Amino acid sequence: MVGVLRAAGEPTRLRVLALLAHEELAVMELSQILGQSQPRVSRHLKLLTEARLVERFPDGAWVFYRLTSDRLGRAFVDQVLDQIAPDDAELNNDLERLEAVRQGRERDAAAYFAQNAPRWDEIRSLYVDEADVEAAILTAAEDRRFARLIDLGTGAGRMLTLLGPLADKAIGLDLSQQMLNIARRQVAEAGLSGCELRHGDIFATGLAAGSGDLVIIHRVLHYLNDPGAALIEAARLVAPGGQLLIVDFAHHDLEFLRQAHQHRRLGFSDDEIARWLQTAGVDALSTTALPPTSTEGLTVKIWSARKAGGAPALSPSALAQRSAA
Ligand SMILES: C[S@@+](CC[C@H](N)C(=O)[O-])C[C@H]1O[C@@H](n2cnc3c(N)ncnc32)[C@H](O)[C@@H]1O
């Protein structure tokens, strides 16, 4: 306990804890916000990690830190942070700088998506064979008809054109108007009149809880500041008995994807996804891995989860077929 108190009882380390209470951050970002050198910040982080107040997770050449997931450790940190006056000038300055870092990141990502929107399908094909991934997604969705589909970060709308024919209604949500314009055209060309395209943020979709029988988040998580929070929102949208599909990359070390393609995270491990799914209140169902065709490629993973509760809402046509049978 003395070690833990010592770890938290120092101004910079307290500032680090307060910042990590907002989101997970890379050492470089913490150093920028705190106005201290990276080695100095790393020393503080080492002490906080040894005291088990924060967790360290390397991601390619970057190292991220987040507050401990241990219940007691987290309760201790929350209690300490609760004692700090809300108008503390230094912490408020840190939060302003955190906001500036966030906005810089979001500006870069938005510019990237705006520039790359017209050739997005070409970029996607750099990774793995799309046809195999899409077949595996259909298998994971059990190829059955369902009532309401929600595609988070719909981009050019490929998941809508793939899964839309199985759904009575579908919503594709994206932050980028450029991407939505392309998705609108693709959906219209595919004749999917039940698809609605909405401008919105995955972290606060504004959609009603339980409004999707299948919610999919396909190759979006690795761009996000806080993938765990996005999965909490995604899981909130899943109706009782409904399914959540996460499609993203397995952990990898293709560092150039950060600069060239704005990836924030170099893929995810099964353990990390499992922990987030548990926090989000859905039950992991299955994991599918699609290895790359070349040695330089990326493994695509499909993590499937279900929300406990009633049976998934089947579409009226599926129900009609069932009752006829
Ligand atoms: C790589 S594209 C993937 C698009 C699509 N899911 C697909 O598989 O083709 C990532 C998309 O996520 C969107 N995006 C990134 N952050 C977002 C956020 N916070 N809320 C909504 N969309 C977001 C981007 O605008 C971009 O269109």
Side-chain angles (χ1 to χ4, degrees):
M1 180 44 81
V2 171
V4 171
L5 289 169
R6 277 206 187 109
E10 194 278 339
T12 301
R13 293 198 287 274
L14 208 47
R15 288 166 68 196
V16 169
L17 292 176
L19 284 164
L20 294 181
H22 288 269
E23 67 181 62
E24 59 189 37
L25 288 164
V27 183
M28 188 185 60
E29 294 169 329
L30 279 166
S31 141
Q32 202 179 330
I33 295 167
L34 297 166
Q36 297 186 15
S37 70
Q38 282 197 38
R40 208 164 152 195
V41 172
S42 295
R43 271 199 303 279
H44 286 303
L45 286 165
K46 185 165 182 283
L47 281 167
L48 288 169
T49 311
E50 283 167 0
R52 302 207 181 144
L53 294 178
V54 306
E55 286 167 6
R56 171 185 195 277
F57 60 106
D59 186 52
W62 286 26
V63 180
F64 284 91
Y65 287 84
R66 62 177 156 229
L67 289 186
T68 176
S69 51
D70 170 69
R71 199 173 48 82
L72 289 177
R74 182 58 201 253
F76 171 79
V77 173
D78 288 344
Q79 224 172 1
V80 168
L81 295 178
D82 275 351
Q83 307 298 315
I84 301 174
D87 59 352
D88 182 277
E90 193 158 34
L91 290 195
N92 282 323
N93 285 341
D94 284 351
L95 290 185
E96 274 173 27
R97 284 191 291 264
L98 170 63
E99 189 50 35
V101 164
R102 242 186 225 156
Q103 283 178 8
R105 234 192 258 148
E106 281 160 14
R107 250 194 325 274
D108 291 349
Y112 168 79
F113 288 121
Q115 265 170 16
N116 287 287
R119 51 189 197 93
W120 188 251
D121 284 335
E122 169 203 349
I123 293 171
R124 289 197 325 158
S125 66
L126 292 176
Y127 304 138
V128 283
D129 193 326
E130 281 304 318
D132 291 348
V133 176
E134 292 179 358
I137 291 173
L138 286 171
T139 304
E142 296 166 15
D143 237 338
R144 63 182 163 81
R145 285 202 60 85
F146 49 90
R148 301 158 301 169
L149 164 71
I150 299 177
D151 180 22
L152 297 173
T154 192
R158 181 57 197 145
M159 290 302 108
L160 292 176
T161 51
L162 180 73
L163 295 164
L166 298 176
D168 293 334
K169 283 196 170 149
I171 294 178
L173 182 116
D174 206 283
L175 258 190
S176 160
Q177 292 286 11
Q178 284 86 349
M179 290 307 246
L180 286 170
N181 288 340
I182 295 178
R184 225 164 257 128
R185 200 180 59 227
Q186 305 277 20
V187 161
E189 279 171 10
L192 293 167
S193 54
C195 282
E196 183 190 332
L197 275 312
R198 282 202 196 180
H199 184 240
D201 191 345
I202 285 171
F203 294 105
T205 59
L207 299 172
S211 54
D213 302 298
L214 177 63
V215 177
I216 185 159
I217 177 157
H218 178 252
R219 288 187 188 163
V220 179
L221 225 49
H222 57 262
Y223 295 104
L224 303 179
N225 299 336
D226 192 344
L231 290 186
I232 289 177
E233 177 64 1
R236 187 186 70 81
L237 300 178
V238 180
Q243 192 180 7
L244 172 63
L245 284 181
I246 304 157
V247 188
D248 218 287
F249 301 119
H251 220 279
H252 61 85
D253 57 5
L254 300 186
E255 197 64 45
F256 76 93
L257 289 174
R258 285 195 221 273
Q259 280 75 41
H261 291 292
Q262 294 296 320
H263 290 201
R264 176 160 171 81
R265 294 288 311 274
L266 300 185
F268 301 95
S269 69
D270 290 344
D271 284 352
E272 194 167 27
I273 296 281
R275 198 152 36 81
W276 283 331
L277 290 178
Q278 194 182 14
T279 309
V282 286
D283 304 323
L285 271 184
S286 64
T287 305
T288 310
L290 293 117
T293 40
S294 78
T295 46
E296 268 302 276
L298 299 162
T299 294
V300 171
K301 284 259 174 133
I302 303 172
W303 292 278
S304 170
R306 192 171 296 290
K307 172 130 355 133
L314 292 176
S315 73
S317 50
L319 286 173
Q321 274 173 18
R322 186 180 275 191
S323 56

